[in-house]
PDB file of all heavy atoms in Angstrom:
ATOM      1  N   GLY A 130     -24.033  17.034  56.567  1.00  0.00           N
ATOM      2  CA  GLY A 130     -23.573  17.700  57.793  1.00  0.00           C
ATOM      3  C   GLY A 130     -22.828  19.017  57.494  1.00  0.00           C
ATOM      4  O   GLY A 130     -22.828  19.914  58.308  1.00  0.00           O
ATOM      5  N   GLN A 131     -22.241  19.118  56.273  1.00  0.00           N
ATOM      6  CA  GLN A 131     -21.570  20.371  55.947  1.00  0.00           C
ATOM      7  C   GLN A 131     -22.569  21.528  55.810  1.00  0.00           C
ATOM      8  O   GLN A 131     -22.358  22.651  56.359  1.00  0.00           O
ATOM      9  CB  GLN A 131     -20.866  20.231  54.581  1.00  0.00           C
ATOM     10  CG  GLN A 131     -19.705  19.222  54.610  1.00  0.00           C
ATOM     11  CD  GLN A 131     -18.523  19.827  55.389  1.00  0.00           C
ATOM     12  OE1 GLN A 131     -18.090  20.919  55.102  1.00  0.00           O
ATOM     13  NE2 GLN A 131     -18.032  19.109  56.391  1.00  0.00           N
ATOM     14  N   GLU A 133     -25.521  21.557  57.235  1.00  0.00           N
ATOM     15  CA  GLU A 133     -26.111  21.756  58.635  1.00  0.00           C
ATOM     16  C   GLU A 133     -25.124  22.563  59.501  1.00  0.00           C
ATOM     17  O   GLU A 133     -25.565  23.529  60.175  1.00  0.00           O
ATOM     18  CB  GLU A 133     -26.388  20.422  59.258  1.00  0.00           C
ATOM     19  CG  GLU A 133     -27.551  19.796  58.620  1.00  0.00           C
ATOM     20  CD  GLU A 133     -27.885  18.449  59.300  1.00  0.00           C
ATOM     21  OE1 GLU A 133     -27.126  18.002  60.221  1.00  0.00           O
ATOM     22  OE2 GLU A 133     -28.953  17.869  59.026  1.00  0.00           O
ATOM     23  N   ARG A 136     -25.294  26.184  58.133  1.00  0.00           N
ATOM     24  CA  ARG A 136     -26.566  26.865  58.580  1.00  0.00           C
ATOM     25  C   ARG A 136     -26.645  27.039  60.084  1.00  0.00           C
ATOM     26  O   ARG A 136     -27.172  28.085  60.546  1.00  0.00           O
ATOM     27  CB  ARG A 136     -27.726  25.998  58.137  1.00  0.00           C
ATOM     28  CG  ARG A 136     -27.887  25.859  56.557  1.00  0.00           C
ATOM     29  CD  ARG A 136     -28.000  27.088  55.868  1.00  0.00           C
ATOM     30  NE  ARG A 136     -28.984  28.042  56.283  1.00  0.00           N
ATOM     31  CZ  ARG A 136     -30.290  28.054  55.785  1.00  0.00           C
ATOM     32  NH1 ARG A 136     -30.667  27.116  54.919  1.00  0.00           N
ATOM     33  NH2 ARG A 136     -31.148  28.949  56.207  1.00  0.00           N
ATOM     34  N   GLN A 144     -25.127  31.576  51.177  1.00  0.00           N
ATOM     35  CA  GLN A 144     -23.774  31.648  51.761  1.00  0.00           C
ATOM     36  C   GLN A 144     -23.188  30.250  51.945  1.00  0.00           C
ATOM     37  O   GLN A 144     -22.027  30.025  51.620  1.00  0.00           O
ATOM     38  CB  GLN A 144     -23.779  32.404  53.040  1.00  0.00           C
ATOM     39  CG  GLN A 144     -23.974  33.875  52.936  1.00  0.00           C
ATOM     40  CD  GLN A 144     -24.105  34.573  54.305  1.00  0.00           C
ATOM     41  OE1 GLN A 144     -24.674  34.008  55.213  1.00  0.00           O
ATOM     42  NE2 GLN A 144     -23.535  35.787  54.409  1.00  0.00           N
ATOM     43  N   TYR A 148     -19.743  29.337  50.092  1.00  0.00           N
ATOM     44  CA  TYR A 148     -18.409  29.174  50.816  1.00  0.00           C
ATOM     45  C   TYR A 148     -18.092  27.727  51.275  1.00  0.00           C
ATOM     46  O   TYR A 148     -16.944  27.492  51.617  1.00  0.00           O
ATOM     47  CB  TYR A 148     -18.439  30.215  52.074  1.00  0.00           C
ATOM     48  CG  TYR A 148     -18.636  31.595  51.749  1.00  0.00           C
ATOM     49  CD1 TYR A 148     -19.791  32.295  52.009  1.00  0.00           C
ATOM     50  CD2 TYR A 148     -17.673  32.244  50.906  1.00  0.00           C
ATOM     51  CE1 TYR A 148     -19.916  33.528  51.658  1.00  0.00           C
ATOM     52  CE2 TYR A 148     -17.856  33.490  50.589  1.00  0.00           C
ATOM     53  CZ  TYR A 148     -19.001  34.241  50.891  1.00  0.00           C
ATOM     54  OH  TYR A 148     -19.181  35.501  50.595  1.00  0.00           O
ATOM     55  N   GLN A 153     -16.103  22.525  47.723  1.00  0.00           N
ATOM     56  CA  GLN A 153     -15.864  21.129  47.826  1.00  0.00           C
ATOM     57  C   GLN A 153     -16.407  20.323  46.630  1.00  0.00           C
ATOM     58  O   GLN A 153     -15.744  19.401  46.126  1.00  0.00           O
ATOM     59  CB  GLN A 153     -16.484  20.575  49.086  1.00  0.00           C
ATOM     60  CG  GLN A 153     -15.933  21.153  50.339  1.00  0.00           C
ATOM     61  CD  GLN A 153     -16.526  20.658  51.603  1.00  0.00           C
ATOM     62  OE1 GLN A 153     -16.401  19.441  51.895  1.00  0.00           O
ATOM     63  NE2 GLN A 153     -17.163  21.407  52.403  1.00  0.00           N
TER      64      GLN A 153
ATOM     65  N   ARG B  63     -32.116  19.036  67.524  1.00  0.00           N
ATOM     66  CA  ARG B  63     -32.073  19.587  66.184  1.00  0.00           C
ATOM     67  C   ARG B  63     -33.259  20.441  65.917  1.00  0.00           C
ATOM     68  O   ARG B  63     -33.302  21.394  65.096  1.00  0.00           O
ATOM     69  CB  ARG B  63     -31.985  18.537  65.131  1.00  0.00           C
ATOM     70  CG  ARG B  63     -30.581  17.810  65.171  1.00  0.00           C
ATOM     71  CD  ARG B  63     -30.594  16.435  64.448  1.00  0.00           C
ATOM     72  NE  ARG B  63     -31.019  16.621  63.105  1.00  0.00           N
ATOM     73  CZ  ARG B  63     -30.153  17.025  62.061  1.00  0.00           C
ATOM     74  NH1 ARG B  63     -28.973  17.194  62.345  1.00  0.00           N
ATOM     75  NH2 ARG B  63     -30.617  17.154  60.852  1.00  0.00           N
ATOM     76  N   ASN B  91     -31.903  32.605  60.591  1.00  0.00           N
ATOM     77  CA  ASN B  91     -30.520  32.783  60.522  1.00  0.00           C
ATOM     78  C   ASN B  91     -29.955  33.593  61.716  1.00  0.00           C
ATOM     79  O   ASN B  91     -28.910  33.345  62.204  1.00  0.00           O
ATOM     80  CB  ASN B  91     -30.066  33.443  59.198  1.00  0.00           C
ATOM     81  CG  ASN B  91     -30.446  32.459  58.013  1.00  0.00           C
ATOM     82  OD1 ASN B  91     -30.300  31.279  58.122  1.00  0.00           O
ATOM     83  ND2 ASN B  91     -30.925  33.078  56.923  1.00  0.00           N
ATOM     84  N   ARG B  94     -30.086  31.471  64.831  1.00  0.00           N
ATOM     85  CA  ARG B  94     -28.976  30.473  64.831  1.00  0.00           C
ATOM     86  C   ARG B  94     -27.643  31.059  65.199  1.00  0.00           C
ATOM     87  O   ARG B  94     -26.810  30.377  65.718  1.00  0.00           O
ATOM     88  CB  ARG B  94     -28.878  29.808  63.463  1.00  0.00           C
ATOM     89  CG  ARG B  94     -30.023  28.796  63.204  1.00  0.00           C
ATOM     90  CD  ARG B  94     -29.791  28.154  61.811  1.00  0.00           C
ATOM     91  NE  ARG B  94     -30.807  27.170  61.581  1.00  0.00           N
ATOM     92  CZ  ARG B  94     -31.321  26.949  60.367  1.00  0.00           C
ATOM     93  NH1 ARG B  94     -31.013  27.739  59.350  1.00  0.00           N
ATOM     94  NH2 ARG B  94     -32.211  25.972  60.188  1.00  0.00           N
ATOM     95  N   LEU B 106     -16.511  19.737  60.408  1.00  0.00           N
ATOM     96  CA  LEU B 106     -15.566  20.790  60.062  1.00  0.00           C
ATOM     97  C   LEU B 106     -15.550  20.917  58.505  1.00  0.00           C
ATOM     98  O   LEU B 106     -15.807  19.984  57.804  1.00  0.00           O
ATOM     99  CB  LEU B 106     -14.205  20.498  60.618  1.00  0.00           C
ATOM    100  CG  LEU B 106     -14.062  20.522  62.097  1.00  0.00           C
ATOM    101  CD1 LEU B 106     -12.586  20.196  62.572  1.00  0.00           C
ATOM    102  CD2 LEU B 106     -14.460  21.839  62.712  1.00  0.00           C
ATOM    103  N   HIS B 109     -12.130  21.778  53.407  1.00  0.00           N
ATOM    104  CA  HIS B 109     -11.279  22.612  52.432  1.00  0.00           C
ATOM    105  C   HIS B 109     -10.745  23.861  53.005  1.00  0.00           C
ATOM    106  O   HIS B 109     -10.041  24.641  52.341  1.00  0.00           O
ATOM    107  CB  HIS B 109     -12.135  22.980  51.196  1.00  0.00           C
ATOM    108  CG  HIS B 109     -13.367  23.799  51.555  1.00  0.00           C
ATOM    109  ND1 HIS B 109     -14.339  23.372  52.422  1.00  0.00           N
ATOM    110  CD2 HIS B 109     -13.771  25.002  51.127  1.00  0.00           C
ATOM    111  CE1 HIS B 109     -15.297  24.302  52.540  1.00  0.00           C
ATOM    112  NE2 HIS B 109     -14.956  25.314  51.754  1.00  0.00           N
ATOM    113  N   LYS B 122     -18.598  36.298  57.384  1.00  0.00           N
ATOM    114  CA  LYS B 122     -19.713  36.413  56.342  1.00  0.00           C
ATOM    115  C   LYS B 122     -21.027  36.733  56.918  1.00  0.00           C
ATOM    116  O   LYS B 122     -21.820  37.406  56.296  1.00  0.00           O
ATOM    117  CB  LYS B 122     -19.768  35.005  55.571  1.00  0.00           C
ATOM    118  CG  LYS B 122     -18.572  34.625  54.962  1.00  0.00           C
ATOM    119  CD  LYS B 122     -18.062  35.578  53.947  1.00  0.00           C
ATOM    120  CE  LYS B 122     -16.664  35.241  53.351  1.00  0.00           C
ATOM    121  NZ  LYS B 122     -16.068  36.289  52.638  1.00  0.00           N
TER     122      LYS B 122
END
Side-chain angles (χ1 to χ4, degrees):
Chain A
Q131 292 289 308
E133 288 184 351
R136 296 304 305 274
Q144 284 176 324
Y148 301 113
Q153 298 181 60
Chain B
R63 291 161 58 82
N91 295 321
R94 282 181 179 141
L106 293 180
H109 60 302
K122 301 304 175 191

